[in-house]
Amino acid sequence: MAKRAGDGVAGQIPIYWAFTYREMSMSANPLVDVIIPTCNHGPTVLRAVESVLGQTFQNFRIVIVGDGVSPGHAALIAQLCSEDPRIQFVANPKGAGHGEAHRARVLKDSRATYVCYLGDDDLWLPHPLGTLVPFLE
């Protein structure tokens, strides 16, 4: 079930990204996969990843899904992956349709309780995951 976070919650500012519930056993600290699709947006994807790393809720995995990224961009992402084991990079050749098939494959393979998307040129404040995960639980 995909839901736009903030729908129907009084006083909450809507956050525009998909948040998908996975049928799994509930745990005290559910895992969240954050999927960040990118195609050669080096400086902005770095800031997007930093905004996820700054979350108050820390049980997440960041999956950066490349859609025909250049070698220079791939090197920037590889550096991020080497700095934090929660960051993974899935490199793909440039696909038709802006990489939807690549993202769909990552979503299908996810074993997280929740999955959300963050654009490579978007930023999160420190508390979206910390607010939404307890709400969804």
Side-chain angles (χ1 to χ4, degrees):
M1 152 179 79
K3 174 178 176 143
R4 191 177 85 191
D7 284 353
V9 179
Q12 186 175 14
I13 298 170
I15 300 169
Y16 297 99
W17 39 271
F19 207 64
T20 304
Y21 171 73
R22 296 277 187 175
E23 291 294 332
M24 297 182 75
S25 61
M26 291 295 133
S27 67
N29 201 11
L31 177 66
V32 176
D33 273 355
V34 180
I35 298 175
I36 303 176
T38 190
C39 179
N40 298 326
H41 296 131
T44 60
V45 76
L46 297 176
R47 287 191 289 277
V49 168
E50 288 170 1
S51 77
V52 177
L53 294 173
Q55 292 297 295
T56 57
F57 181 91
Q58 287 287 302
N59 193 25
F60 57 77
R61 177 178 71 138
I62 300 169
V63 184
I64 303 170
V65 182
D67 183 27
V69 300
S70 69
H73 187 67
L76 285 173
I77 296 170
Q79 178 64 35
L80 285 173
C81 294
S82 71
E83 294 170 1
D84 193 315
R86 297 173 296 174
I87 305 171
Q88 297 180 355
F89 178 47
V90 180
N92 298 286
K94 183 67 180 154
H98 307 291
E100 283 88 358
H102 305 315
R103 293 190 300 266
R105 188 172 56 252
V106 170
L107 179 62
K108 180 182 174 208
D109 293 343
S110 173
R111 298 294 173 248
T113 307
Y114 301 104
V115 175
C116 56
Y117 290 96
L118 178 66
D120 65 355
D121 59 350
D122 293 331
L123 302 174
W124 279 346
L125 294 173
H127 44 13
L129 294 179
T131 300
L132 289 168
V133 169
F135 175 76
L136 292 169
E137 288 287 295

